């Protein structure tokens, strides 16, 4: 079976290549180009393709992949909001993903963003490098004894709850489908927004959750709240967030994901004049810490991603049960 890996970097190849000997019947070809309308035809002659969070797997691309004979899409990630699942079904293309490859990797990064934005360690580091040892502008707040509101208590949300618990925080949770086996205290989203000192987003991006953080929901939050998003940029209406930051609503904001990131995520754009200014506007605020969708980026997570992606491919190849198939 031949698989074309789109949008790969050296680190992707490294972790997949390590497993090559275990999968003698699968041929991997890695290309740097990402998957979009103009590159979909490169899939000609392959059985499947492997893609990441920033690939375009909308209707047109899926139609082209079907035309090229693709029967399998291996998402080397957990989220699949960039895949038109209904269209994939119509095209008889199976979509498999890697659920929960390392929830701790993402949750630990969420807490790193909270600590960075709240205690301004990103600013402090630069100041110290310039021999500026003044503490002006670096004041934060304690997390101990405060309330953490976890939105979405799946694998990553649960890991974040454990971390916040370790910081001595009280945990409140909101989920459409509460985890009854957990001892989390579930409340309505309204209540969570109203009483949390830290709000951490861990639900998927769906039509329901799109812009769940907007003018209206921000107005219901406590003044001085800390907001962190390591889930998907579309959960937050960026313009409303920027307005809220300007109104001094937030103690700190940590973002690993943001709207418009797909234009340049994982690319070195330092030599380019960007067409959009969202990131620059966010970075202009001293209480915002921003990273480029790197929550997953640990050795353990990349190892698990490679292992599960190849197990998914092998299950498809040998006709086994596709336990990681995306159904809806
Ligand atoms: P999961 O599927 O284990 O958990 C998601 C939870 O959200 C579930 O409990 C579900 O019931 C809940 N949920 C669904 N719709 C909801 C709604 N409307 N309101 C409230 N809760 C809702 O997923 P997991 O592994 O915890 O990942 C969460 C998200 O993290 C993914 O969807 C993905 O977008 C993001 N992610 C980000 C990464 C990064 O590198 N920054 C890496 C991996 C995932």
């Amino acid at each position: 079976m031949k698989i074309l890996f789109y949008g790969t970097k050296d680190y992707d190849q490294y972790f997949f290549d390590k497993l090559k000997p275990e999968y003698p019947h699968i041929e991997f070809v890695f290309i740097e180009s990402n998957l979009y309308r103009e590159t979909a035809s490169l899939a000609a002659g392959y059985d499947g393709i492997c893609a990441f969070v920033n690939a375009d797997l909308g209707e047109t691309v899926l139609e082209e992949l079907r035309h090229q004979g693709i029967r399998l899409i291996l998402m080397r990630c957990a989220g699949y909001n960039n895949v038109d699942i209904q269209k994939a079904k119509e095209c008889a293309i199976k979509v498999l993903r890697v659920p929960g490859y390392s929830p701790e990797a993402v949750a630990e990064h969420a807490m790193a963003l909270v600590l960075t934005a709240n205690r301004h360690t990103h600013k402090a580091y630069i100041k110290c490098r310039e021999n500026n040892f003044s503490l002006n502008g670096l004041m934060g707040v304690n997390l101990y004894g405060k309330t953490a509101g976890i939105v979405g208590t799946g694998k990553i949300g649960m890991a974040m709850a454990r971390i916040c618990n370790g910081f001595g925080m009280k945990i409140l949770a909101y989920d459409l489908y509460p985890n009854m086996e957990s001892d989390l205290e579930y409340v309505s989203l309204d209540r969570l927004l109203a009483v949390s000192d830290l709000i951490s987003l861990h639900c998927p991006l769906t039509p329901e959750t799109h812009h769940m953080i907007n003018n209206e929901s921000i107005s219901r939050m406590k003044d001085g709240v800390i907001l962190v998003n390591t889930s998907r940029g579309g959960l937050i209406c960026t313009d409303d967030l920027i307005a809220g930051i300007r109104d001094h609503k937030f103690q700190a904001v940590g973002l690993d994901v943001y709207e418009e990131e797909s234009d340049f995520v994982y690319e070195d754009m330092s030599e380019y004049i960007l067409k959009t200014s969202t990131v620059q506007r966010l970075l202009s605020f001293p209480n915002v810490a921003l990273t480029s969708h790197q929550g997953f980026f640990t050795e353990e997570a990349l190892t698990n991603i490679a292992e599960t992606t190849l197990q998914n491919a092998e299950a498809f190849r040998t006709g086994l049960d596709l336990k990681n198939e995306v159904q809806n």
Side-chain angles (χ1 to χ4, degrees), residues 159-314:
M160 186 62 174
R162 287 192 293 274
I163 290 172
C164 292
N165 196 36
F167 273 75
M169 304 185 82
K170 175 186 159 91
I171 316 294
L172 293 180
Y174 168 72
D175 196 301
L176 273 189
Y177 309 98
N179 178 350
M180 292 311 183
E181 284 163 23
S182 77
D183 53 7
L184 288 176
E185 181 181 345
Y186 282 94
V187 293
S188 67
L189 182 59
D190 275 357
R191 172 122 188 99
L192 183 146
L193 294 176
V195 300
S196 296
D197 301 291
L198 160 64
I199 297 172
S200 195
L201 305 179
H202 301 289
C203 56
L205 177 61
T206 63
E208 277 174 317
T209 60
H210 181 252
H211 286 185
M212 71 189 299
I213 303 299
N214 53 30
N215 270 332
E216 200 259 326
S217 49
I218 291 172
S219 71
R220 279 185 278 140
M221 294 177 192
K222 265 184 167 177
D223 288 341
V225 64
I226 299 175
L227 175 68
V228 63
N229 186 12
T230 54
S231 193
R232 286 292 180 268
L235 296 182
I236 298 181
C237 172
T238 313
D239 287 337
D240 292 359
L241 175 67
I242 288 172
I245 296 169
R246 290 206 167 115
D247 286 347
H248 299 272
K249 185 75 185 177
F250 298 95
Q251 160 64 23
V253 175
L255 302 171
D256 187 43
V257 290
Y258 30 89
E259 295 182 293
E260 298 174 3
E261 71 177 39
S262 53
D263 289 344
F264 40 75
V265 69
Y266 306 130
E267 300 303 327
D268 177 359
M269 303 297 286
S270 52
E271 297 300 319
Y272 293 84
I273 292 172
L274 298 182
K275 291 200 182 81
T276 56
S277 60
T278 311
V279 175
Q280 277 62 33
R281 279 197 289 161
L282 288 165
L283 285 170
S284 71
F285 301 114
N287 57 344
V288 174
L290 199 137
T291 51
S292 182
H293 209 140
Q294 67 170 80
F296 72 99
F297 202 53
T298 66
E299 286 185 19
E300 291 81 357
L302 289 175
T303 302
N304 287 341
I305 287 172
E307 279 172 2
T308 307
T309 302
L310 292 176
Q311 282 161 9
N312 285 344
E314 190 66 3

Side-chain angles (χ1 to χ4, degrees), residues 14-31:
Y14 174 78
F15 285 97
F16 278 98
D17 274 346
K18 276 215 289 195
L19 297 172
K20 241 182 185 168
E22 293 173 38
Y23 294 93
H25 302 294
I26 303 177
E27 189 184 328
F28 322 161
V29 174
F30 299 99
I31 58 170

Side-chain angles (χ1 to χ4, degrees), residues 89-105:
K89 276 207 178 105
E90 282 168 40
C91 295
I93 300 175
K94 298 276 185 202
V95 180
L96 307 187
R97 68 175 184 129
V98 185
Y101 46 81
S102 179
E104 286 74 20

Side-chain angles (χ1 to χ4, degrees), residues 44-75:
Y46 290 86
D47 303 289
I49 62 116
C50 180
F52 197 48
V53 289
N54 53 340
D56 173 358
L57 280 152
E59 198 175 341
T60 314
V61 168
L62 287 167
E63 197 56 69
E64 179 63 23
L65 292 178
R66 166 169 52 187
H67 179 67
Q68 299 300 346
I70 291 299
R71 295 173 296 132
L72 172 67
I73 293 172
L74 297 165
M75 296 303 293

